[in-house]
């Protein structure tokens, strides 16, 4: 056949159904904004988003049950869309996580009781803070946030599924651009929110440029952007290895920025603090899940044969990320910024798991794989982080959310259930036994130690001990410090936020007591198709 002949790519619509449903709902949400009367948009968009996510979640389960073994049976799935999308077990597992936490995000987006009958989003995004236009928009709802969120969810699903670098870049932009907008739509503290959105956009665009330039260099080395072809070129070792190393580093910059790894973490505390807390909750879980899925696929599939080049880099990044995240969290006086630096530390723990890659022949009987450990950690992290930020929305005063530490003093005496739930989630993040966080840390530390990355594990244990200090300090503030006249109160939420918190806390408990089913499910997902 002539090499210039165009071969029409085939689309396996059944296995792509979850992504197509989310994209279709996002597009339909835009139509709703154009034609549905303003008074009905909130209910219409909320129901549409929840129905779309539920349908996609059902589709994800059906796709996961239909995957067939490939090659030696270590991987299950298929390639579609001309090889640009890889529907395998890990990708489907990540789809399920993204969709579950997206449901929680929609419930938090739809919360209206906390703001006196309106949502936490600005009524008119274009209105300048303090102007008459902003005052006139006080009672309005910014319902465009639902289709924006659905587009971000679609990007999060495509990102870890991408089989080539160009598709990965497109997915990166599809998930990022809606988040830039959502971060700037807070109803209260508009200037802080807009500043956060601007910082996120500028640094995100900069990191995307690094990623795209890395794509160009890797293409120059391998002659292809397909991950399987890149792996073959690396194995053949016929190209310019310097070109490969530089391209690999630039790609890592773009991906490590999305997970908030050091030295690309500077945006995280500012954006987490300035964005609407519902957006922060969704972004903290969904973005990290999608980005780590892409990191794993890129380094395990595309560059898996060149581990001696990228592993030393990740050693350094993981150590710096854990230490910086844990140490700087100590000096914080704002709950959202503390959780942001905690998120940075968790990124380092997850990178420790990435270093645990071993061949199947090197694994002992019953030992979890690095992929299995990371998938479990992402599950525990997502539930605890979404629930924690949901609780932050409840602690309020006349100016809105009260995130300063001194406003949380004595919270355990006024609202013991809310403070108790938040304390339990902090203990899980600290890795205390009988919580999901403990099992997650045990899993990633074990695989890293088995792979010979014991120095990184030692730093991870040290960072975990440091993290216990600032988590316990906040628990002490809530339960063992007398409330003051400036202490904030807990506002009773609607069933939407209550359900999100309850599910997050319950999942964290169950993952700590009976982690087996989720670990088995992550193990059943198998390996990436190579």
């Amino acid at each position: 056949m002539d090499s210039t002949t165009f071969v029409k790519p085939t689309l396996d619509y059944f296995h792509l159904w979850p992504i197509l449903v989310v994209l279709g709902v996002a597009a339909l949400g835009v139509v709703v904004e154009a034609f549905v009367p303003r008074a009905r948009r909130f209910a219409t968009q909320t129901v549409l988003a929840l129905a779309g996510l539920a349908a996609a979640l059902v589709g994800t389960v059906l796709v996961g049950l239909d995957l067939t073994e490939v090659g030696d049976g270590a991987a299950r799935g298929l390639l579609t869309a001309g090889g640009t999308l890889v529907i395998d077990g890990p990708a489907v597992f990540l789809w399920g996580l993204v969709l579950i936490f997206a449901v929680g995000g929609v419930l938090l987006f739809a919360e209206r009781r906390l703001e006196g009958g309106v949502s936490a989003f600005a009524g008119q995004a274009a209105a300048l803070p303090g102007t008459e236009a902003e005052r006139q928009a006080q009672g309005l709802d910014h319902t465009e946030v639902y289709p924006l969120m659905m587009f971000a969810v679609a990007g999060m699903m495509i990102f870890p599924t991408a089989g080539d670098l160009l598709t990965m870049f497109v997915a990166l932009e599809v998930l990022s651009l809606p988040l830039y907008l959502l971060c700037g739509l807070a109803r209260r503290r508009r200037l802080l929110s807009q500043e956060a959105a601007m910082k996120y956009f500028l640094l995100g665009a900069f990191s995307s440029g690094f990623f795209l330039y890395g794509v160009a260099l890797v293409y120059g080395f391998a002659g292809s952007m397909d991950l399987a072809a890149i792996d073959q070129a690396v194995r053949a070792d016929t190209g310019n290895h310097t070109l490969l190393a530089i391209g690999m580093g630039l790609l890592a910059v773009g991906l490590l920025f999305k997970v908030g790894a050091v030295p690309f973490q500077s945006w995280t505390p500012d954006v987490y603090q300035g964005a609407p807390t519902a957006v922060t909750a969704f972004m903290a879980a969904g973005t990290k899940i999608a980005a780590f899925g892409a990191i794993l696929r890129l380094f395990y599939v595309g560059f898996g044969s060149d581990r001696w080049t990228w592993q030393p880099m990740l050693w350094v990044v993981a150590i710096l990320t854990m230490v910086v995240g844990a140490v700087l969290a100590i000096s914080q006086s704002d709950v959202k910024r503390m959780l942001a630096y905690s998120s940075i530390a968790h990124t380092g723990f997850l990178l420790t798991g990435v270093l645990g890659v071993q061949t199947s022949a090197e694994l002992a009987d019953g030992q979890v794989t690095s992929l299995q450990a990371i998938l479990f950690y992402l599950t525990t992290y997502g539930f605890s982080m979404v629930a924690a930020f949901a609780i932050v929305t409840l602690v309020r005063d006349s100016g809105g959310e009260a995130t300063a530490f001194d406003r949380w003093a004595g919270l355990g005496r006024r609202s013991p259930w809310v403070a108790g739930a938040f304390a339990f989630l902090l203990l899980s993040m600290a890795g205390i036994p009988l919580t999901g966080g403990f099992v997650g840390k045990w899993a990633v530390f074990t695989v890293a130690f088995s792979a010979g990355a014991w120095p990184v594990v030692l730093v991870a244990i040290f960072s975990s001990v440091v993290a216990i200090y600032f988590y316990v300090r906040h628990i002490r503030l809530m339960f063992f410090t007398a409330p003051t006249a400036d202490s904030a109160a807990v506002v009773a939420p609607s069933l939407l936020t209550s359900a999100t918190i309850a599910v997050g806390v319950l999942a964290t408990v169950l993952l700590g007591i009976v982690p087996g089913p989720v670990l088995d499910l992550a193990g059943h997902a198998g390996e990436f198709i190579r």
Side-chain angles (χ1 to χ4, degrees):
M1 180 183 294
D2 187 352
S3 60
T4 60
T5 303
F6 174 75
V7 179
K8 183 181 69 172
T10 58
L11 294 175
D12 192 315
Y13 288 103
F14 173 76
H15 292 94
L16 292 176
W17 178 36
I19 296 177
L20 297 177
V21 166
V22 173
L23 283 172
V25 169
L28 189 57
V30 176
V31 176
V32 168
E33 288 297 314
F35 295 102
V36 174
R38 181 182 294 275
R40 299 180 183 176
R41 289 178 193 168
F42 168 75
T44 304
Q45 293 281 27
T46 303
V47 173
L48 181 63
L50 288 175
L53 292 173
L57 195 55
V58 171
T60 298
V61 174
L62 296 177
V63 170
L65 294 174
D66 191 66
L67 297 181
T68 56
E69 294 184 354
V70 178
D72 58 1
R76 299 165 53 248
L78 75 160
L79 277 67
T80 186
T84 60
L85 295 176
V86 184
I87 315 298
D88 52 17
V92 174
F93 188 97
L94 293 169
W95 285 3
L97 289 184
V98 169
L99 291 170
I100 288 171
F101 298 130
V103 171
V106 171
L107 296 180
L108 295 179
F109 279 27
E111 177 62 61
R112 302 176 70 162
R113 181 179 294 179
L114 299 177
E115 289 286 352
V118 293
S119 71
F121 296 96
Q124 186 176 350
L128 294 176
T131 62
E132 181 62 28
E134 186 187 42
R135 285 188 288 272
Q136 292 177 353
Q138 286 297 318
L140 302 179
D141 269 328
H142 206 80
T143 49
E144 291 93 334
V145 297
Y146 296 96
L148 286 173
M149 180 185 179
M150 297 302 288
F151 278 118
V153 171
M156 291 173 184
M157 295 175 69
I158 299 172
F159 201 26
T161 312
D164 66 68
L165 296 178
L166 188 58
T167 304
M168 193 173 288
F169 174 74
V170 172
L172 173 64
E173 295 306 299
V174 171
L175 79 87
S176 298
L177 291 175
L179 293 178
Y180 299 152
L181 294 172
L182 289 170
C183 287
L185 297 180
R187 181 177 293 276
R188 298 178 184 264
R189 299 174 184 172
R190 297 275 289 117
L191 287 177
L192 187 64
S193 177
Q194 291 175 352
E195 178 188 354
M198 184 59 67
K199 286 180 179 178
Y200 194 21
F201 168 69
L202 292 177
L203 293 175
F206 199 51
S207 70
S208 295
F210 275 97
F211 186 90
L212 196 57
Y213 195 45
V215 171
L217 293 182
V218 172
Y219 178 78
F221 166 81
S224 174
M225 287 182 284
D226 184 79
L227 295 181
I230 293 170
D231 179 61
Q232 292 178 0
V234 171
R235 291 176 184 273
D237 198 23
T238 57
N240 186 334
H241 196 270
T242 302
L243 196 67
L244 172 65
I246 297 174
M248 194 184 303
L250 293 175
L251 289 173
V253 170
L255 293 176
L256 292 175
F257 171 85
K258 297 308 296 183
V259 296
V262 175
F264 316 109
Q265 87 295 349
S266 60
W267 64 274
T268 309
D270 293 334
V271 173
Y272 277 34
Q273 182 184 22
T277 306
V279 175
T280 305
F282 165 66
M283 181 172 60
T287 303
K288 193 150 294 188
I289 290 168
F292 264 103
I295 288 173
L296 290 168
R297 189 176 295 280
L298 179 66
F299 285 107
Y300 283 14
V301 177
F303 303 133
S305 303
D306 198 19
R307 275 188 262 167
W308 52 87
T309 298
W310 56 262
Q311 277 188 321
M313 173 191 68
L314 287 189
W315 271 49
V316 175
V317 172
I319 290 173
L320 289 176
T321 303
M322 289 183 290
V323 172
V324 170
V327 172
L328 291 186
I330 295 175
S331 62
Q332 302 307 310
S333 59
D334 183 276
V335 176
K336 291 176 74 173
R337 293 185 72 87
M338 180 194 72
L339 291 175
Y341 279 105
S342 170
S343 174
I344 293 172
H346 283 290
T347 295
F349 299 141
L350 283 160
L351 289 174
T352 302
V354 175
L355 294 171
V357 57
Q358 299 179 80
T359 62
S360 57
E362 297 172 317
L363 295 173
D365 291 339
Q367 182 180 349
V368 298
T369 66
S370 59
L371 182 57
Q372 187 179 0
I374 293 170
L375 292 178
F376 182 86
Y377 198 114
L378 288 171
T379 304
T380 64
Y381 167 84
F383 278 113
S384 60
M385 195 60 74
V386 170
F389 278 111
I391 291 175
V392 171
T393 64
L394 308 184
V395 184
R396 311 175 75 87
D397 56 19
S398 58
E401 294 171 0
T403 56
F405 276 6
D406 57 350
R407 312 305 297 276
W408 287 60
L411 187 70
R413 303 184 186 183
R414 301 189 305 279
S415 302
W417 286 104
V418 173
F422 194 71
F424 177 76
L425 295 171
L426 292 181
L427 292 176
S428 177
M429 296 178 198
I432 302 301
L434 297 181
T435 65
F438 169 77
V439 181
K441 286 186 177 181
W442 169 82
V444 295
F445 292 174
T446 300
V447 296
F449 190 87
S450 300
W454 60 265
V456 183
V457 176
L458 291 180
V459 176
I461 295 173
F462 165 77
S463 300
S464 297
V465 173
V466 173
I468 291 174
Y469 167 75
F470 62 80
Y471 289 133
V472 172
R473 179 187 63 182
H474 196 76
I475 295 173
R476 176 180 175 274
L477 175 71
M478 292 189 295
F479 287 96
F480 302 103
T481 303
T484 64
D486 294 330
S487 295
V490 173
V491 178
S494 69
L495 183 60
L496 303 177
T497 301
S498 300
T500 304
I501 296 171
V503 170
V505 172
L506 180 61
T508 305
V509 172
L510 293 177
L511 290 171
I513 299 175
V514 283
V518 177
L519 279 171
D520 291 342
L521 184 62
H524 183 67
E527 299 293 330
F528 290 113
I529 295 179
R530 303 179 186 274

